[in-house]
Amino acid sequence: MVSADRAKFDAHMMGIALMMARRGLGLTAPNPSVGAVIADEVTGEVIARAVTAPTGRPHAEPLAIAQAGARARGKTIYVTLEPCSHFGKTPPCAEAIVEAGLKRAVVAIEDPDPRVAGRGLDRLRAAGLEVRRGVGAEEARWITRGHIVRITERRPFVTLKMALDSEGRVPEGTGSSPVFVTSPQARAHGHLLRAQADAILVGAGTIRADNPQLTCRLPGLESCSPLRVVLSKGLDISPHARLFDDSHAVGVLCIAGLGADPVRKATLERMGAEVALVPVVGAQLWLPAVMEALVSRGITRLLVEGGPGMWRAFSDQSLVDEIAMYVAGVGEQARSEGLGSISPLGLVARYAGNLPLGIVDTATLGPDRLWRLRLAHRQEGH
């Protein structure tokens, strides 16, 4: 039994580890973003803290251990995901923890990767460490969900981004540029979502209507622009679209049907795009095959910015984890449970069907309002 004071300290330290893990979102694929903290339970001091390095290596645990040096011996490590126990491109993190002389490990969640799946915790226990798991588990599952569903469902974590006007309508582009209904503050937040994603996805219709760049343009985060993915059954994508202007610096992946025109394919490849072909079922690209194509390229977090047709397609295939909904011009007057006579849940139902969603967060962004909704049955970590 953990004492109340120790449980409180564990929760606080895990909160710091979770904060570190959030910092790495969008940077560590194909590996999960993991946070690690080494602390002295006697003095309450945080000795070291780390997050998985960009591109996924080194892992957070050896980075924290290197920071702590000899001071790690006899202390406690807090980790948001079970330390790995297998030899890959780096040695096992569980072994690094044992060799550092840490006496206790607090872990938020186990790793579903069959190469780990409890073996990391078993290795720590076998070496004599006290192990506690489940602290901060719910938040850790959402931060790590891209890794979890990549392993268990062969798909990325999917966020639908909806930007609506004050009447709940979707703006239509001019054919040469997007039409913005939300404020600069809301758009900046949307760019942060891009920075936290491994890939951003739209359909060819969005390219024709808006001609977007689909990059992150927040000062200091320009290098965090995700892979840009365009779905087009027949590769009906203009090679003069703006997203090809910097296709060698920020990747473009066009996904088309197996029967796509080879001349169009070659043209887009000359523009710097990669082209992947997947089966067509009915009149649409087979989204599970699209997900497999993304997972095979290391994508764990996908931001879907297409319009209602794309949102509905992902919903119909049960490929939605959360929705970020921006509504213009409602600001402080909006209530978390409603938007005048139209509720956020009603707007989701209008555009994406009746998903079992729950509102988990709201924010006022200048004159606009953001609702973040997650699938209710997944809030418990299932």
Side-chain angles (χ1 to χ4, degrees):
M1 178 70 70
V2 178
S3 69
D5 287 345
R6 197 179 211 190
K8 183 177 180 181
F9 185 80
D10 285 352
H12 179 64
M13 291 298 138
M14 186 59 75
I16 297 173
L18 291 165
M19 176 191 69
M20 297 300 295
R22 283 191 288 271
R23 290 184 182 181
L25 292 177
L27 300 175
T28 66
N31 289 344
S33 180
V34 176
V37 170
I38 296 174
D40 187 329
E41 292 189 51
V42 176
T43 65
E45 179 187 3
V46 174
I47 297 172
R49 58 182 184 173
V51 60
T52 307
T55 73
R57 290 182 299 274
H59 294 180
E61 299 95 322
L63 288 173
I65 289 168
Q67 284 182 30
R71 296 187 67 200
R73 185 163 299 277
K75 304 306 188 298
T76 299
I77 187 166
Y78 297 84
V79 191
T80 58
L81 180 67
E82 177 183 8
C84 63
S85 56
H86 61 284
F87 283 88
K89 295 185 178 180
T90 56
C93 293
E95 292 298 332
I97 291 171
V98 171
E99 292 173 6
L102 287 147
K103 70 172 184 179
R104 185 168 180 258
V106 180
V107 177
I109 58 174
E110 291 186 7
D111 191 340
D113 189 325
R115 296 171 298 176
V116 187
R119 294 182 183 90
L121 300 185
D122 288 344
R123 175 66 186 100
L124 300 182
R125 293 188 185 100
L129 275 79
E130 177 189 342
V131 175
R132 185 183 179 205
R133 64 176 183 173
V135 179
E138 182 177 337
E139 182 63 19
R141 287 189 188 100
W142 278 97
I143 292 173
T144 317
R145 185 151 187 84
H147 170 70
I148 293 171
V149 296
R150 180 178 70 88
I151 296 295
T152 60
E153 302 181 29
R154 293 298 295 173
R155 68 172 182 86
F157 174 94
V158 175
T159 299
L160 302 187
K161 177 192 169 191
M162 299 180 176
L164 310 173
D165 67 17
S166 59
E167 301 298 321
R169 296 172 301 198
V170 179
E172 295 184 7
T174 64
S176 60
S177 61
V179 171
F180 298 118
V181 294
T182 54
S183 64
Q185 297 95 320
R187 296 201 297 277
H189 190 277
H191 279 258
L192 180 61
L193 292 187
R194 291 181 177 181
Q196 293 175 337
D198 302 329
I200 177 174
L201 182 147
V202 299
T206 296
I207 301 300
R208 290 190 293 271
D210 295 347
N211 195 19
Q213 291 176 276
L214 299 178
T215 53
C216 176
R217 295 186 292 280
L218 289 177
L221 292 180
E222 294 90 348
S223 63
C224 297
S225 292
L227 174 70
R228 296 165 295 177
V229 181
V230 183
L231 302 190
S232 176
K233 183 174 64 174
L235 284 180
D236 185 16
I237 306 168
S238 169
H240 304 295
R242 287 201 298 169
L243 79 167
F244 295 117
D245 292 347
D246 55 0
S247 58
H248 295 284
V250 183
V252 178
L253 171 64
C254 300
I255 302 182
L258 292 173
D261 186 337
V263 175
R264 290 180 178 177
K265 178 176 181 291
T267 299
L268 295 181
E269 288 172 337
R270 284 197 299 272
M271 297 305 297
E274 179 186 1
V275 179
L277 304 179
V278 301
V280 175
V281 176
Q284 295 184 331
L285 297 176
W286 181 231
L287 284 182
V290 172
M291 297 297 96
E292 177 64 36
L294 296 179
V295 164
S296 70
R297 288 163 173 77
I299 301 303
T300 66
R301 295 175 59 85
L302 177 66
L303 181 65
V304 177
E305 285 201 13
M310 192 69 70
W311 303 335
R312 176 71 71 163
F314 272 79
S315 175
D316 288 346
Q317 293 291 325
S318 299
L319 294 173
V320 179
D321 293 286
E322 71 172 8
I323 293 176
M325 179 191 295
Y326 302 85
V327 181
V330 296
E332 294 287 359
Q333 290 72 42
R335 298 172 298 167
S336 61
E337 70 276 13
L339 173 64
S341 60
I342 305 174
S343 73
L345 293 174
L347 290 173
V348 170
R350 178 192 299 179
Y351 293 117
N354 293 309
L355 295 169
L357 293 164
I359 298 171
V360 296
D361 191 25
T362 64
T364 298
L365 302 168
D368 307 330
R369 191 74 170 177
L370 164 67
W371 281 270
R372 205 147 190 168
L373 307 97
R374 290 176 178 167
L375 290 194
H377 69 280
R378 286 178 178 164
Q379 292 178 49
E380 304 304 322
H382 299 304

